[in-house]
Amino acid sequence: MANQTRTRPETAVVEWFAGHISSPVARLRFLQAAMHAHPPARPRGRFRKLRVWVAIPVLLSLVFATRPPPGKRLRAADPDASPLTTASVRPAAVRVTPLPEIWQVEKTKTWETFSNGLRIDDRFAISTHRRSYLAFPVSGPVDARGERRTTPAGIVYHTTESLQVPFVASENSTLERIGESLLNFVKHKRAYNFVIDRFGRVFRVVQESDAANHAGYSVWADPQWVYLNLNESFLAVAFETRTLPGQADATVNPAQIRSAAMLTEVLRRRYGIAAGNCVTHGQVSVNPSGLRVGFHQDWASSFPFDQLGLPDNYAAPLPAVSLFGFEYDSDFERKAGALLYRQAQFGERELRDRAAKARLPLPVYRKALQNRYHSWLAIVRRDATRPEEDE
Ligand SMILES: [Zn+2]
C-alpha cells in the first residue's frame, strides 16, 4: 500500500533532529535511543503526534545528559546543566579569612617557618650589636632628651643594586652564584637584616635583635615619634634588584613580592610595627650636613606598597621636610621620581602652613626646625654605640 512506503511523520522528525547533531557519536546514540523508544507498533488515536513531540526532548536529554559536550564537562556552576549535573557537582566553597595570629611552626639550625607560609633561611645569619636608640616626641623642644627603645619601630625597604642577569631558566646557575656572592657581601658589610633573593627566598643576615648598617642617620616619623638613627630603630629588608633614578615601575618578580608581604606581616605582628612606619630608603635618606633629602634613591618612587598589604606611604608629607625643614634641589624630581617628589612637596606645604600658624616668616621657622634637628642629632650621635654616617 502507498502509505507503507512513505516515511512516517515521527520518523521524519527523528531524522530531522539527528541531522542537526554534529557529533557522530551523539547522533548514533540519539538514533539508537529513538529506535528503542519507538516500537514498530503505531500508537493509536490523536495522541500519536503528541507522543512524538514529547519523546524528542526526552531522547535528546538522554543522549546529552549521559555524555555532555566536552566544553561543559568541568563547569560545575553551568546554568544550562541538567538538575542531575548541578546536584552532583557544586562550586567549591573556599573561605579565606585574615589570620588571627601568626606563629613559628618549626625552627632548625638553618631555617625557620611560620604559619603564614614564610620560610627564613638562617645559613648567613650573624650578630652585630644589640639594637638601642632614642625616639623623640614629634612636638618635643630643642632640648628634648628622647626615650630609650630596644625594639624596632619600623621597616626600611632597600634594593641591593647588585649585578643582575636575565631571570630565565637557562641562567639558573648564574643567578644562584650571583645570589650567594651577594649574601656573603651583605654578611661582610652587616648591611641588612633580611635579603629576598631573585627566587623569592628570604635570608636572615643581621639578627633582628641587632642593628644593621643600612640607613644611618636617616629620618622618619610617625604621628607621635621621630626616629633619627634608622640603623638602630628600623629593620632592613633588601630586595635583590636594581632601580634606576626616577623609575616608576617595580623591578622585582612576583615571588619576591609574595615573600616580602609574608615577611612584613610576620615582622609587623612580632614587633607591633605601624603600617606607616614601613617605608623605603629613598623616603628616609638624607644628607645630615647639607640638610637635603634624597641622598639615596633606592625604591624612591616605585615601591609596591599595596602588594605588601600596606597603605600608600607616598601620600604622607615627608617628615624630614615638614618636621626639620630639609630642602631639595631642582634635580630631586628627576632623581626621586614623581611620587617621592610629590611627597617632598606635601612636606613643604605642611611646613609653610605651620610657619603661618606660628606667625613666623618661613626662613625663620625653617631655621628653628633645623636647629632642633642638629640638637637632637648631636644627642643621637653621642648615644650611638657605633655611629655610621648615611652619606
Ligand atoms: Zn638602600
Side-chain angles (χ1 to χ4, degrees), residues 157-385:
Y157 300 98
H158 298 261
T159 56
T160 57
E161 300 300 314
S162 49
L163 178 65
Q164 303 280 288
V165 293
F167 194 67
V168 291
S170 57
E171 297 281 0
N172 192 66
S173 58
T174 311
L175 286 161
E176 281 194 300
R177 197 169 60 247
I178 290 174
E180 188 166 335
S181 88
L182 169 69
L183 283 160
N184 280 317
F185 178 78
V186 170
K187 182 177 174 179
H188 174 69
K189 291 284 184 183
R190 304 167 169 215
Y192 311 113
N193 297 100
F194 296 96
V195 172
I196 302 174
D197 79 358
R198 296 189 71 193
F199 303 109
R201 297 179 298 186
V202 178
F203 293 86
R204 184 184 277 112
V205 183
V206 175
Q207 296 287 355
E208 287 160 50
S209 57
D210 295 356
N213 302 328
H214 65 104
Y217 295 116
S218 295
V219 177
W220 192 252
D222 54 39
Q224 283 83 40
W225 299 96
V226 172
Y227 311 97
L228 298 178
N229 182 352
L230 300 200
N231 281 355
E232 299 283 334
S233 52
F234 278 47
L235 290 156
V237 173
F239 292 72
E240 185 187 0
T241 186
R242 294 185 89 135
T243 51
L244 299 171
Q247 185 173 314
D249 300 323
T251 52
V252 288
N253 61 49
Q256 288 177 296
I257 292 291
R258 284 194 294 272
S259 294
M262 289 189 287
L263 177 60
T264 299
E265 195 173 42
V266 165
L267 295 176
R268 285 193 58 209
R269 289 194 184 222
R270 177 174 281 178
Y271 301 108
I273 293 171
N277 281 355
C278 300
V279 289
T280 75
H281 195 188
Q283 290 176 291
V284 301
S285 179
V286 297
N287 177 340
S289 51
L291 293 172
R292 291 279 192 278
V293 295
F295 188 77
H296 289 280
Q297 281 104 34
D298 44 325
W299 284 127
S301 278
S302 54
F303 195 71
F305 285 108
D306 58 334
Q307 293 181 59
L308 268 65
L310 295 168
D312 176 14
N313 281 333
Y314 290 122
L318 203 60
V321 177
S322 63
L323 297 176
F324 296 118
F326 275 67
E327 296 180 272
Y328 44 93
D329 52 35
S330 56
D331 209 24
F332 181 63
E333 183 175 12
R334 183 188 63 79
K335 291 191 295 184
L339 294 177
L340 186 51
Y341 180 66
R342 190 188 63 171
Q343 188 168 22
Q345 289 180 309
F346 290 156
E348 186 70 17
R349 195 179 306 161
E350 189 171 296
L351 182 75
R352 287 170 188 273
D353 289 348
R354 285 197 190 151
K357 272 187 192 164
R359 297 174 185 242
L360 287 172
L362 181 62
V364 174
Y365 186 69
R366 191 191 296 276
K367 191 71 190 164
L369 293 185
Q370 290 176 346
N371 285 341
R372 184 173 70 156
Y373 170 73
H374 283 308
S375 172
W376 289 1
L377 181 64
I379 295 169
V380 168
R381 278 183 159 147
R382 280 198 299 274
D383 179 72
T385 314

